[in-house]
Amino acid sequence: KNCQLKVTADKVLDIAKAAVQHAEKHPGQTLGIIAFSEDRCHEIETAISALAEKSAKKSFFVQSEMPISFYVKTPDRAVDRYRDVIFICAENEGIDKITADRKFAVCTTLARNETVTFITKQDLAMQKTAKPSIFWDWISYLQGKSDDAPGQAFSDLYSTSKPKSKLVDFPGE
């Protein structure tokens, strides 16, 4: 699986932009978006609706027949809802370590081809004082991958070439 980290100032808006871009460039690929709270899910859905109105592919986001190729859900509601691409709205605030680790473990297993984790600079700054957890281990791993490929533009994540399959090694193994 191809895994990416996107550090952003506004993860809701950037996830919405990436979702619309995904629908335009890869309408045949399914997409799942995971946020850790219902409120955040609604914020993302609202942002996507506003941006999708201007897109020729807005029908990608309003499907009524099965199979549905797009969703925005919390980890608890997304269990076993695999998609080609998963966007994760990474948040560690307001939830205990065990819950955060469990939710993040669910998120990272749902993508068939690609996972893009969105996090703000403010959230990332919390890593320095945070207790060790799967959540922060995953973020550290993705940061290391990002450091290996400096200068890769976010738009390069959605090139027309097929994503390369990669074996994921977790830190400490």
Side-chain angles (χ1 to χ4, degrees), residues 92-108:
N92 200 30
E93 68 266 358
I95 52 178
D96 63 79
K97 177 191 173 312
I98 295 170
T99 303
D101 286 353
R102 184 180 54 78
K103 288 183 176 193
F104 215 71
V106 168
C107 295
T108 59

PDB file of all heavy atoms in Angstrom, residues 92-108:
ATOM      1  N   ASN A  92      -5.853  13.539  17.638  1.00  0.00           N
ATOM      2  CA  ASN A  92      -5.540  12.815  18.855  1.00  0.00           C
ATOM      3  C   ASN A  92      -6.122  13.507  20.076  1.00  0.00           C
ATOM      4  O   ASN A  92      -6.055  12.988  21.166  1.00  0.00           O
ATOM      5  CB  ASN A  92      -4.030  12.656  19.000  1.00  0.00           C
ATOM      6  CG  ASN A  92      -3.663  11.529  19.936  1.00  0.00           C
ATOM      7  OD1 ASN A  92      -4.388  10.552  20.064  1.00  0.00           O
ATOM      8  ND2 ASN A  92      -2.546  11.668  20.611  1.00  0.00           N
ATOM      9  N   GLU A  93      -6.718  14.678  19.879  1.00  0.00           N
ATOM     10  CA  GLU A  93      -7.234  15.417  21.029  1.00  0.00           C
ATOM     11  C   GLU A  93      -8.590  14.877  21.457  1.00  0.00           C
ATOM     12  O   GLU A  93      -9.382  14.424  20.645  1.00  0.00           O
ATOM     13  CB  GLU A  93      -7.325  16.919  20.738  1.00  0.00           C
ATOM     14  CG  GLU A  93      -8.357  17.293  19.707  1.00  0.00           C
ATOM     15  CD  GLU A  93      -7.831  17.419  18.283  1.00  0.00           C
ATOM     16  OE1 GLU A  93      -6.639  17.256  18.055  1.00  0.00           O
ATOM     17  OE2 GLU A  93      -8.655  17.660  17.402  1.00  0.00           O
ATOM     18  N   GLY A  94      -8.830  14.934  22.754  1.00  0.00           N
ATOM     19  CA  GLY A  94     -10.147  14.605  23.280  1.00  0.00           C
ATOM     20  C   GLY A  94     -10.472  13.127  23.401  1.00  0.00           C
ATOM     21  O   GLY A  94     -11.577  12.781  23.756  1.00  0.00           O
ATOM     22  N   ILE A  95      -9.540  12.237  23.085  1.00  0.00           N
ATOM     23  CA  ILE A  95      -9.808  10.808  23.240  1.00  0.00           C
ATOM     24  C   ILE A  95      -8.634  10.159  23.961  1.00  0.00           C
ATOM     25  O   ILE A  95      -7.498  10.578  23.818  1.00  0.00           O
ATOM     26  CB  ILE A  95     -10.077  10.096  21.901  1.00  0.00           C
ATOM     27  CG1 ILE A  95      -8.966  10.366  20.888  1.00  0.00           C
ATOM     28  CG2 ILE A  95     -11.412  10.481  21.332  1.00  0.00           C
ATOM     29  CD1 ILE A  95      -9.152   9.659  19.573  1.00  0.00           C
ATOM     30  N   ASP A  96      -8.933   9.141  24.747  1.00  0.00           N
ATOM     31  CA  ASP A  96      -7.875   8.490  25.506  1.00  0.00           C
ATOM     32  C   ASP A  96      -6.993   7.649  24.582  1.00  0.00           C
ATOM     33  O   ASP A  96      -7.350   7.352  23.455  1.00  0.00           O
ATOM     34  CB  ASP A  96      -8.455   7.646  26.643  1.00  0.00           C
ATOM     35  CG  ASP A  96      -9.315   6.513  26.131  1.00  0.00           C
ATOM     36  OD1 ASP A  96      -8.743   5.494  25.690  1.00  0.00           O
ATOM     37  OD2 ASP A  96     -10.549   6.646  26.148  1.00  0.00           O
ATOM     38  N   LYS A  97      -5.824   7.276  25.093  1.00  0.00           N
ATOM     39  CA  LYS A  97      -4.810   6.570  24.303  1.00  0.00           C
ATOM     40  C   LYS A  97      -5.337   5.267  23.703  1.00  0.00           C
ATOM     41  O   LYS A  97      -5.147   5.001  22.531  1.00  0.00           O
ATOM     42  CB  LYS A  97      -3.591   6.293  25.180  1.00  0.00           C
ATOM     43  CG  LYS A  97      -2.510   5.494  24.488  1.00  0.00           C
ATOM     44  CD  LYS A  97      -1.467   5.039  25.491  1.00  0.00           C
ATOM     45  CE  LYS A  97      -0.445   4.104  24.929  1.00  0.00           C
ATOM     46  NZ  LYS A  97      -0.923   3.003  24.160  1.00  0.00           N
ATOM     47  N   ILE A  98      -6.026   4.462  24.491  1.00  0.00           N
ATOM     48  CA  ILE A  98      -6.517   3.173  23.990  1.00  0.00           C
ATOM     49  C   ILE A  98      -7.531   3.380  22.884  1.00  0.00           C
ATOM     50  O   ILE A  98      -7.477   2.726  21.849  1.00  0.00           O
ATOM     51  CB  ILE A  98      -7.109   2.329  25.144  1.00  0.00           C
ATOM     52  CG1 ILE A  98      -5.989   1.957  26.129  1.00  0.00           C
ATOM     53  CG2 ILE A  98      -7.817   1.094  24.623  1.00  0.00           C
ATOM     54  CD1 ILE A  98      -6.473   1.343  27.415  1.00  0.00           C
ATOM     55  N   THR A  99      -8.448   4.323  23.070  1.00  0.00           N
ATOM     56  CA  THR A  99      -9.446   4.601  22.043  1.00  0.00           C
ATOM     57  C   THR A  99      -8.780   5.129  20.778  1.00  0.00           C
ATOM     58  O   THR A  99      -9.112   4.706  19.668  1.00  0.00           O
ATOM     59  CB  THR A  99     -10.492   5.615  22.567  1.00  0.00           C
ATOM     60  OG1 THR A  99     -11.078   5.085  23.751  1.00  0.00           O
ATOM     61  CG2 THR A  99     -11.567   5.885  21.541  1.00  0.00           C
ATOM     62  N   ALA A 100      -7.839   6.056  20.931  1.00  0.00           N
ATOM     63  CA  ALA A 100      -7.140   6.616  19.768  1.00  0.00           C
ATOM     64  C   ALA A 100      -6.401   5.521  19.008  1.00  0.00           C
ATOM     65  O   ALA A 100      -6.463   5.458  17.778  1.00  0.00           O
ATOM     66  CB  ALA A 100      -6.172   7.708  20.210  1.00  0.00           C
ATOM     67  N   ASP A 101      -5.693   4.657  19.739  1.00  0.00           N
ATOM     68  CA  ASP A 101      -4.952   3.579  19.091  1.00  0.00           C
ATOM     69  C   ASP A 101      -5.884   2.622  18.354  1.00  0.00           C
ATOM     70  O   ASP A 101      -5.618   2.226  17.219  1.00  0.00           O
ATOM     71  CB  ASP A 101      -4.130   2.797  20.124  1.00  0.00           C
ATOM     72  CG  ASP A 101      -2.914   3.569  20.608  1.00  0.00           C
ATOM     73  OD1 ASP A 101      -2.631   4.654  20.060  1.00  0.00           O
ATOM     74  OD2 ASP A 101      -2.241   3.076  21.539  1.00  0.00           O
ATOM     75  N   ARG A 102      -6.986   2.256  18.978  1.00  0.00           N
ATOM     76  CA  ARG A 102      -7.941   1.332  18.348  1.00  0.00           C
ATOM     77  C   ARG A 102      -8.533   1.958  17.082  1.00  0.00           C
ATOM     78  O   ARG A 102      -8.605   1.327  16.039  1.00  0.00           O
ATOM     79  CB  ARG A 102      -9.037   0.950  19.324  1.00  0.00           C
ATOM     80  CG  ARG A 102     -10.016  -0.074  18.795  1.00  0.00           C
ATOM     81  CD  ARG A 102     -11.092  -0.419  19.809  1.00  0.00           C
ATOM     82  NE  ARG A 102     -11.808   0.718  20.342  1.00  0.00           N
ATOM     83  CZ  ARG A 102     -12.780   1.364  19.692  1.00  0.00           C
ATOM     84  NH1 ARG A 102     -13.131   0.984  18.494  1.00  0.00           N
ATOM     85  NH2 ARG A 102     -13.396   2.381  20.251  1.00  0.00           N
ATOM     86  N   LYS A 103      -8.943   3.210  17.194  1.00  0.00           N
ATOM     87  CA  LYS A 103      -9.540   3.888  16.039  1.00  0.00           C
ATOM     88  C   LYS A 103      -8.536   4.021  14.909  1.00  0.00           C
ATOM     89  O   LYS A 103      -8.866   3.792  13.748  1.00  0.00           O
ATOM     90  CB  LYS A 103     -10.075   5.265  16.436  1.00  0.00           C
ATOM     91  CG  LYS A 103     -11.326   5.181  17.284  1.00  0.00           C
ATOM     92  CD  LYS A 103     -11.877   6.548  17.592  1.00  0.00           C
ATOM     93  CE  LYS A 103     -13.178   6.407  18.364  1.00  0.00           C
ATOM     94  NZ  LYS A 103     -13.918   7.646  18.436  1.00  0.00           N
ATOM     95  N   PHE A 104      -7.310   4.377  15.246  1.00  0.00           N
ATOM     96  CA  PHE A 104      -6.311   4.539  14.190  1.00  0.00           C
ATOM     97  C   PHE A 104      -5.936   3.208  13.562  1.00  0.00           C
ATOM     98  O   PHE A 104      -5.701   3.123  12.361  1.00  0.00           O
ATOM     99  CB  PHE A 104      -5.077   5.268  14.730  1.00  0.00           C
ATOM    100  CG  PHE A 104      -4.474   6.162  13.714  1.00  0.00           C
ATOM    101  CD1 PHE A 104      -5.114   7.322  13.337  1.00  0.00           C
ATOM    102  CD2 PHE A 104      -3.293   5.836  13.096  1.00  0.00           C
ATOM    103  CE1 PHE A 104      -4.583   8.151  12.370  1.00  0.00           C
ATOM    104  CE2 PHE A 104      -2.745   6.649  12.132  1.00  0.00           C
ATOM    105  CZ  PHE A 104      -3.394   7.819  11.769  1.00  0.00           C
ATOM    106  N   ALA A 105      -5.922   2.146  14.362  1.00  0.00           N
ATOM    107  CA  ALA A 105      -5.640   0.814  13.812  1.00  0.00           C
ATOM    108  C   ALA A 105      -6.703   0.427  12.793  1.00  0.00           C
ATOM    109  O   ALA A 105      -6.389  -0.135  11.732  1.00  0.00           O
ATOM    110  CB  ALA A 105      -5.568  -0.213  14.946  1.00  0.00           C
ATOM    111  N   VAL A 106      -7.971   0.734  13.059  1.00  0.00           N
ATOM    112  CA  VAL A 106      -9.050   0.464  12.096  1.00  0.00           C
ATOM    113  C   VAL A 106      -8.812   1.252  10.816  1.00  0.00           C
ATOM    114  O   VAL A 106      -8.879   0.719   9.712  1.00  0.00           O
ATOM    115  CB  VAL A 106     -10.433   0.800  12.700  1.00  0.00           C
ATOM    116  CG1 VAL A 106     -11.512   0.796  11.625  1.00  0.00           C
ATOM    117  CG2 VAL A 106     -10.786  -0.175  13.805  1.00  0.00           C
ATOM    118  N   CYS A 107      -8.505   2.537  10.964  1.00  0.00           N
ATOM    119  CA  CYS A 107      -8.323   3.415   9.803  1.00  0.00           C
ATOM    120  C   CYS A 107      -7.247   2.909   8.850  1.00  0.00           C
ATOM    121  O   CYS A 107      -7.403   2.975   7.637  1.00  0.00           O
ATOM    122  CB  CYS A 107      -7.917   4.817  10.245  1.00  0.00           C
ATOM    123  SG  CYS A 107      -9.148   5.698  11.181  1.00  0.00           S
ATOM    124  N   THR A 108      -6.158   2.433   9.404  1.00  0.00           N
ATOM    125  CA  THR A 108      -5.013   2.069   8.576  1.00  0.00           C
ATOM    126  C   THR A 108      -5.168   0.723   7.876  1.00  0.00           C
ATOM    127  O   THR A 108      -4.314   0.347   7.090  1.00  0.00           O
ATOM    128  CB  THR A 108      -3.716   2.066   9.417  1.00  0.00           C
ATOM    129  OG1 THR A 108      -3.860   1.139  10.495  1.00  0.00           O
ATOM    130  CG2 THR A 108      -3.414   3.452   9.954  1.00  0.00           C
TER     131      THR A 108
END
